Amino acid sequence: MKILPSEITSYTNYLNRRKFIKSSIATAGFLGFSGGLEANHNSNQDVYNDQLDENDFLNSYEDITTYNNFYEFGMGKSDPYKNSGNFKPKPWSIKLEGLINNPQDIDLEKLLQKVTIEDRVYRLRCVEAWSMVIPWQGFPLSELIKIADPLSSAKFIQFVTVFRPDEMPGQKKRLLSWPYVEGLRMDEATHPLTILSTGLYGHDLLNQSGAPIRLVVPWKYGFKSIKSISSIRFVDKQPEATWSMMAPSEYGFYSNVNNLVDHPRWSQGTERRIGEFKRRKTLPFNGYEEEVSYLYKGMDLRKYY
Ligand code: MTE
């Protein structure tokens, strides 16, 4: 999908524009800044953006939307940007199924009327040792979990990406086993940092970023953040996840960013921030240790990598 030069925004411009958008919301009563999908917008959520420090600069809209991993559109970093033009993210619904009181196919437009869209600026750290800082718009996954109303036997959640080989050329090849699936433990899924994102930089997600809705779990390697989600299953056992099924010794179910546990083929001690030359140190839990380490108390994170 084409990106206009005017959309390549610096952080300062972005923040100024966000201020402008907020004030136009206040004066004109304008809702739904994130394009056509309307939702309420909460202007009071900077609390979840505090983990960044003065060395974290927002990546440009261009970086974030032209350097991607989305194997449904091919294996190269620019394939998702180049090959996703035929993908149709609208209309969209998500199937909620499994151990819940309210199984249903929920229409995305209707879901977005029930939740509050927030800004969350998060680091994204790929297991391939590159990283970015991305200003997402989204809502806590816990809000959707409340709608599903899980039974007490639901201990994990599995997410499934849509399977549409006619729109996703990579799915015609056996690059991975399709559809792409991922999973979280229930307490990880309900953690306030875990969001479902529908936009970034104030625009609806482009196809290459996982339109129209994707997971973002900032303390885990990027592959946990599954794109273009069409089903969410509530289950009692640890579910299958695409990369850990394919190479269990390389990719664990938890996949918390861990600078002390190397991948068999590359070190996880440092990373390259896209747009920078000098490598920087990788932080435990990608810098979110204070917020999430309690989830893993007593667990040997070398064993549960
Ligand atoms: N989701 C699906 N369905 N298919 C994929 O290939 N790639 C993952 C993740 N989500 C992937 C996916 C990987 S490896 C990473 S690093 C992130 O998406 C990349 O997200 P980004 O392209 O928005 O940076």
Side-chain angles (χ1 to χ4, degrees):
M1 297 211 138
K2 200 164 159 26
I3 292 151
L4 302 171
S6 59
E7 290 176 331
I8 302 166
T9 319
S10 74
Y11 189 32
T12 327
N13 287 345
Y14 171 72
L15 289 180
N16 286 339
R17 212 180 60 212
R18 293 287 303 116
K19 273 191 209 131
F20 170 75
I21 290 166
K22 277 180 195 165
S23 60
S24 26
I25 290 171
T27 51
F30 168 78
L31 286 179
F33 76 96
S34 175
L37 295 171
E38 292 227 334
N40 301 321
H41 183 252
N42 177 3
S43 58
N44 185 24
Q45 67 315 93
D46 291 340
V47 59
Y48 292 119
N49 302 316
D50 287 352
Q51 297 83 3
L52 299 176
D53 62 40
E54 66 282 3
N55 297 316
D56 285 312
F57 299 100
L58 211 66
N59 280 91
S60 69
Y61 191 64
E62 186 184 23
D63 282 346
I64 299 169
T65 56
T66 59
Y67 187 95
N68 297 98
N69 275 335
F70 200 169
Y71 277 41
E72 284 83 341
F73 298 109
M75 290 171 70
K77 294 287 180 272
S78 61
D79 287 343
Y81 155 66
K82 289 182 189 147
N83 301 337
S84 60
N86 290 333
F87 182 70
K88 293 183 195 65
K90 278 180 194 178
W92 195 267
S93 63
I94 301 176
K95 188 189 263 300
L96 302 177
E97 57 187 336
L99 303 170
I100 51 178
N101 286 313
N102 287 326
Q104 59 188 291
D105 268 322
I106 189 159
D107 178 73
L108 182 57
E109 301 254 0
K110 288 203 183 109
L111 169 62
L112 293 183
Q113 316 245 308
K114 294 185 186 174
V115 299
T116 305
I117 296 291
E118 304 177 12
D119 287 307
R120 299 287 181 95
V121 183
Y122 284 161
R123 302 188 186 99
L124 179 111
R125 168 63 158 81
C126 179
V127 73
E128 297 161 336
W130 55 265
S131 64
M132 296 205 199
V133 178
I134 303 180
W136 302 104
Q137 284 80 48
F139 61 93
L141 172 62
S142 62
E143 293 194 30
L144 182 57
I145 295 176
K146 260 187 236 144
I147 294 172
D149 192 10
L151 306 177
S152 59
S153 51
K155 306 289 184 213
F156 292 87
I157 301 188
Q158 188 184 43
F159 306 84
V160 186
T161 293
V162 74
F163 182 66
R164 293 187 191 164
D166 288 340
E167 296 174 31
M168 301 176 125
Q171 286 182 333
K172 291 195 167 141
K173 301 181 191 150
R174 291 210 50 86
L175 303 176
L176 290 175
S177 83
W178 309 114
Y180 195 100
V181 289
E182 256 307 337
L184 292 175
R185 212 170 59 189
M186 189 60 86
D187 56 351
E188 299 176 318
T190 52
H191 191 282
L193 286 175
T194 305
I195 59 165
L196 286 171
S197 166
T198 52
L200 62 89
Y201 263 119
H203 299 278
D204 286 351
L205 288 183
L206 296 183
N207 290 342
Q208 58 267 38
S209 297
I213 186 160
R214 67 168 298 165
L215 188 68
V216 183
V217 196
W219 71 94
K220 292 180 180 280
Y221 292 119
F223 66 85
K224 299 293 289 183
S225 291
I226 179 173
K227 297 177 170 180
S228 306
I229 297 169
S230 62
S231 318
I232 301 187
R233 300 173 178 149
F234 293 76
V235 294
D236 56 356
K237 293 192 184 64
Q238 185 175 301
E240 289 190 322
T242 295
W243 285 99
S244 18
M245 265 189 304
M246 205 172 83
S249 61
E250 298 189 18
Y251 311 103
F253 176 79
Y254 284 94
S255 286
N256 296 316
V257 174
N258 190 338
N259 51 315
L260 302 177
V261 177
D262 287 338
H263 180 275
R265 277 175 286 125
W266 50 76
S267 157
Q268 296 295 11
T270 62
E271 65 198 55
R272 187 173 74 87
R273 182 67 51 84
I274 297 302
E276 293 178 1
F277 292 105
K278 220 173 123 225
R279 294 183 76 84
R280 51 169 74 213
K281 279 197 177 137
T282 289
L283 302 170
F285 296 100
N286 203 22
Y288 301 92
E289 182 172 22
E290 219 175 280
E291 287 77 18
V292 302
S293 57
Y294 75 91
L295 295 169
Y296 310 102
K297 216 169 151 223
M299 279 174 74
D300 177 356
L301 295 180
R302 290 187 174 272
K303 187 167 166 215
Y304 296 100
Y305 53 91

